Amino acid sequence: MTSTSEAIAPPVINRPNSTSVGTIVWLGSEVMFFAGLFAMYFSLKAGAPDLWANDAQILNVPFALVNTLILVSSSFTAQFGVFAAERLQPRRTGASPAKWGMVEWFFLTYVLGGIFVSGQIWEYAMLISEGITLSSNSYGSAFYITTGFHALHVTGGLVAFLLIIGRAYAAKNFGHREATSAIVVSYYWHFVDVVWIGLFVVVYILK
């Protein structure tokens, strides 16, 4: 027998990232929360169809569509930021968008999200001037509660983007931990975008 033998390498266990798993589990609870809001909206609508038919006509659907497209486009810019983070490229290496880093793409996402929230605030002001308020009737309550909670979630996402951008500037070496933080924030952002598409269809299209 020969004394030579190859050392057997221990098996590599690829465990899922705990931060990503925790974020996905939390988003699952958020799905249930918004499912409850949708159920509330449909229940109130079923109880007052004439009220819905009357008050929903005031909605500015073309404006809401443009605002929706702005929010949806921010999902693409956020994903480009994730691609840059996965390359461990925090900042741009040139003026062209093809050379942008995570910071530039996330900042553009922040601007688009801010425009969306500003558009919702403007829409609220217009509806209030028309007499539709949170306490005016069941339609007003359903509209402001569903869209308002979504706006709060979008605002939370904007704060998260600022934190990720600040962390990128503060980190001496942009590594996998910073990239993971960027990825989980993008999960949340994609989630609120998908929820809004559902809200837009329910509130503005299925009037």
Side-chain angles (χ1 to χ4, degrees):
M1 295 178 62
T2 60
S3 58
T4 59
S5 61
E6 295 182 358
I8 300 175
V12 178
I13 301 176
N14 294 319
R15 297 180 178 177
N17 183 278
S18 59
T19 304
S20 299
V21 172
T23 302
I24 293 172
V25 171
W26 175 65
L27 289 179
S29 67
E30 289 292 288
V31 169
M32 300 303 296
F33 172 77
F34 278 103
L37 291 183
F38 277 104
M40 176 209 68
Y41 184 91
F42 283 118
S43 297
L44 293 175
K45 181 179 180 181
D50 294 335
L51 176 63
W52 247 254
N54 180 64
D55 287 4
Q57 299 304 318
I58 303 175
L59 295 178
N60 190 337
V61 178
F63 175 82
L65 175 61
V66 172
N67 214 27
T68 298
L69 293 176
I70 291 173
L71 185 64
V72 171
S73 66
S74 71
S75 260
F76 290 94
T77 58
Q79 191 58 42
F80 286 134
V82 169
F83 292 152
E86 291 174 339
R87 297 194 304 268
L88 301 183
Q89 181 190 348
R91 288 179 289 279
R92 67 181 183 178
T93 58
S96 170
K99 297 182 178 180
W100 280 8
M102 182 204 74
V103 169
E104 288 75 29
W105 284 115
F106 274 14
F107 182 74
L108 178 57
T109 304
Y110 177 86
V111 171
L112 293 172
I115 293 173
F116 173 81
V117 173
S118 300
Q120 276 203 287
I121 294 173
W122 181 86
E123 184 180 29
Y124 287 170
M126 294 298 101
L127 290 175
I128 291 172
S129 68
E130 295 286 346
I132 298 179
T133 65
L134 181 64
S135 59
S136 60
N137 50 43
S138 59
Y139 176 80
S141 299
F143 177 85
Y144 287 109
I145 290 175
T146 52
T147 61
F149 270 112
H150 179 267
L152 289 177
H153 280 71
V154 173
T155 303
L158 296 179
V159 173
F161 278 121
L162 289 181
L163 292 176
I164 295 300
I165 292 172
R167 185 175 182 178
Y169 279 107
K172 294 181 180 179
N173 295 309
F174 188 90
H176 291 286
R177 179 172 297 183
E178 288 75 20
T180 299
S181 299
I183 292 170
V184 297
V185 169
S186 74
Y187 290 166
Y188 175 81
W189 194 251
H190 295 323
F191 169 77
V192 296
D193 281 11
V194 171
V195 169
W196 177 254
I197 292 174
L199 282 174
F200 175 76
V201 172
V202 169
V203 175
Y204 294 90
I205 304 301
L206 303 178
K207 295 186 295 182

